[in-house]
Each structure stands twice: as structure tokens, then as C-alpha cells.
Amino acid sequence: MAERLAMLPGGLASWSVTAFTKGGGEGASIPITVTEGVSMDFRQLDPACVKRILEREVSLRDIRYIAQVEVDPAALEHRWGSPEVVSDYLAEWVCFAFSPGEGQAYFLQREVHHPPAPGFILSVTRGLFFTEAAELIVRALGIAGARVVRVTEEAWPG
């Protein structure tokens, strides 16, 4: 099976999947356009439209790690208010959850007691899982000195 990812207008993703026959020959090509949860153009992240949300408002199945971000925790709290403290099977986390638009969300999280690295983990919903989105999200935070340290290789090219 071969896959091809392409960007469509409005930040939508389109996959073309080609199945191969048992003998190795090429079979039918099936285009798949993903529209659920990808309704915004991630390149248009407007800081004025970003709002804080509660972490529990987002299904954790819909969120994926995209980057490590360096940002001053005091500046983050001053700009966006107190973080939530949430727990999962791994640890307790300081969490700032945001929504830039309908159906999309991103989290900045840091382990409370034993953070493995400086900064925060940035996790996003599917519509924001693009390499360019990490930089745009950090810019939308509106905090001087905030920067992306590392982006996962799994993120889709923008």
C-alpha cells in the first residue's frame, strides 16, 4: 500500500491510498479527504481568537504530541491565568489548554514533580498536527522569548 498526503485549501488534508494486488501489481487508487476536525486553516492562527479552555473539554484520544516548547512559566501564567493540574496514569501535569477555533485545541503541559526536560510539551488536535503549526501556536501565545525547541518527525509537512 502506498500513501500520499496533500494539503487542500483551508488547511484540509487529503490522502491518496493505492492498494496493491496479491501479485504485486498496482490496484485501485482511493482518494480520502479528511474534513472532520480539520475545519480551520492552521496558518491563520489569530492570537485574538485563541481562548483558554478546560483540558477535560477535549478527548485525549484526539490530541497528539507535536513539539517541545521553551516558555517562561511565570510569563505564561501572567498572560493566560493559572494552569490546571491534571493527572493521568503517568504523572500529575501542569496544563494550559487552548482553543484557536471550532473543533481544534492544543495543550502546553509540564510534569509537576519530575519534568524530564525544561519547558513544556505541546500537544495538538489533528487539524493542527503540522510542522508549521507549532511555530504559529507559540507566536499566538504572545510571550516574548517563547520558542519551539523540537518538533516531532511524525508531524505532517505544511
Side-chain angles (χ1 to χ4, degrees), residues 47-127:
C49 295
V50 173
K51 64 179 183 173
R52 280 290 301 274
I53 60 172
L54 296 174
E55 180 263 356
R56 69 176 172 262
E57 293 177 10
V58 180
S59 168
L60 296 182
R61 285 181 281 178
D62 296 337
I63 203 108
R64 291 179 71 177
Y65 163 78
I66 191 170
Q68 182 181 348
V69 174
E70 189 176 285
V71 60
D72 177 20
L76 191 59
E77 190 168 340
H78 179 75
R79 168 75 172 90
W80 291 99
S82 297
E84 293 178 80
V85 176
V86 297
S87 297
D88 64 13
Y89 64 95
L90 294 173
E92 273 190 314
W93 302 87
V94 170
C95 180
F96 291 87
F98 302 90
S99 177
E102 184 70 30
Q104 300 302 330
Y106 57 90
F107 296 169
L108 284 170
Q109 295 176 297
R110 180 177 170 82
E111 191 176 338
V112 172
H113 301 291
H114 305 287
F120 288 80
I121 293 170
L122 174 61
S123 299
V124 298
T125 50
R126 180 184 317 178

Side-chain angles (χ1 to χ4, degrees), residues 25-46:
E26 190 171 308
S29 181
I30 307 164
I32 303 167
T33 302
V34 178
T35 56
E36 183 180 318
V38 192
S39 59
M40 71 173 290
D41 184 344
F42 70 91
R43 293 166 291 226
Q44 304 300 318
L45 273 174
D46 181 358

